[in-house]
Each structure stands twice: as C-alpha cells, then as structure tokens.
Amino acid sequence: MTGLIMAALMLTQVPYRWEVEDEDLLLTSLRSPKISRELNLTEDQIRKINEIRYSYASKVVDLRAALQKKHLELNRVISKDGFTRAEIEPILKEIGNIEADLRLYRIMEIQEIKRVLTREQSEKLREILRREMRIRRRAKPEKD
C-alpha cells in the first residue's frame, strides 16, 4: 500500500505535461514557416491545417483542465489519513481515461492534418522529421 501511495504522490506532484515526442515534433514542425516553405504548402493547406489545429486545441484545453481537477481531487484524498483503495482507484482510472482521450485527440489531429498534404509533401515531411529526430538524439545527454 505504501508503494501505491508514493506512486500516486509522485504522479500528482509532477506538473502535468502530456507529450509524445514524435507527435509534438510533427505538429510543431507544421507551425514553422520554414517547414511550410520546404513542403511548398499552399495558402489553402495552411488555412486547413490551422483550422484543424484550432478545433482540436479547444478540446485539449478542456481535457487538460479536467485532468488538473482530477489531480487536485486525488491530492485531496491521499493527503488525509486513512484513505482506501476504493477512494483513489476510480480517480486514477478517470485520470487514465482523460490521458487516453488526450492521446486520441492528438493522433486524430495528426491524421486529419496528414489528409491535407499531398503524397510528396507527406514523404518530404517524413524526411524532415527523421532529420530533426537525429538532431534531437544527438543533442540529448546520455543517461547513466
């Protein structure tokens, strides 16, 4: 039980940052004017990509707020003496569900954006992402 408490405390003390490196790199790359030029995106494609981003951003803001509230609720419960598994388990499951929804929205956003690109642009974007991932890997300090 002590391990579960410590794990819950550690999870709630770390500031929330939902991030999947590849997905974030793809989405941030498409915001870059340099990458837009490299892909030869049309004004219409840029407009469509921006519309997709904004429609998902609104949903993500709501989910992140709900997630923060659940973390606060979990903190409240585990900070009192004598809480039970039955009290924290549903909260942890809700946190997991919200995190899964966030990931789902991110994946669906990427899927919609990819439909805006031509085959050639998608291939060029893959090359750019591979290049950026290599650069990031080289820049990361090695862990012992």
Side-chain angles (χ1 to χ4, degrees):
M1 183 68 129
T2 305
L4 180 61
I5 295 167
M6 291 306 296
L9 281 170
M10 287 178 9
L11 281 173
T12 58
Q13 300 307 313
V14 174
Y16 177 72
R17 182 173 167 91
W18 187 85
E19 183 172 291
V20 177
E21 194 171 331
D22 297 12
E23 295 166 4
D24 282 346
L25 180 58
L26 185 143
L27 292 172
T28 55
S29 294
L30 287 170
R31 289 185 198 121
S32 162
K34 177 184 171 204
I35 302 295
S36 294
R37 284 191 303 275
E38 212 173 319
L39 294 175
N40 293 318
L41 294 179
T42 66
E43 288 298 318
D44 187 52
Q45 286 176 309
I46 292 170
R47 183 188 52 76
K48 287 177 183 176
I49 290 169
N50 286 335
E51 286 174 9
I52 292 166
R53 284 186 28 238
Y54 290 123
S55 72
Y56 279 95
S58 175
K59 296 170 189 174
V60 167
V61 165
D62 292 340
L63 285 172
R64 285 185 176 158
L67 185 61
Q68 287 179 332
K69 287 179 183 178
K70 286 298 164 189
H71 279 285
L72 288 172
E73 184 180 342
L74 180 62
N75 278 332
R76 184 182 52 78
V77 171
I78 62 176
S79 67
K80 69 179 184 174
D81 290 334
F83 66 87
T84 65
R85 177 185 177 132
E87 290 175 295
I88 64 169
E89 189 172 13
I91 300 169
L92 289 172
K93 286 182 179 178
E94 288 180 54
I95 287 171
N97 288 338
I98 295 168
E99 289 173 343
D101 285 344
L102 282 166
R103 180 82 192 269
L104 176 64
Y105 281 134
R106 180 61 58 104
I107 292 168
M108 296 310 298
E109 178 183 6
I110 290 168
Q111 186 66 18
E112 281 190 46
I113 289 171
K114 284 180 178 179
R115 286 190 208 120
V116 173
L117 304 177
T118 65
R119 181 181 303 210
E120 294 79 21
Q121 289 169 328
S122 292
E123 289 170 7
K124 180 71 174 173
L125 181 59
R126 267 190 232 108
E127 290 172 22
I128 293 167
L129 293 175
R130 282 189 204 111
R131 180 182 70 213
E132 290 298 317
M133 291 301 289
R134 281 192 301 272
I135 292 168
R136 285 184 179 202
R137 277 195 291 269
R138 277 185 255 153
K140 272 188 180 178
E142 290 189 29
K143 294 180 182 179
D144 294 330

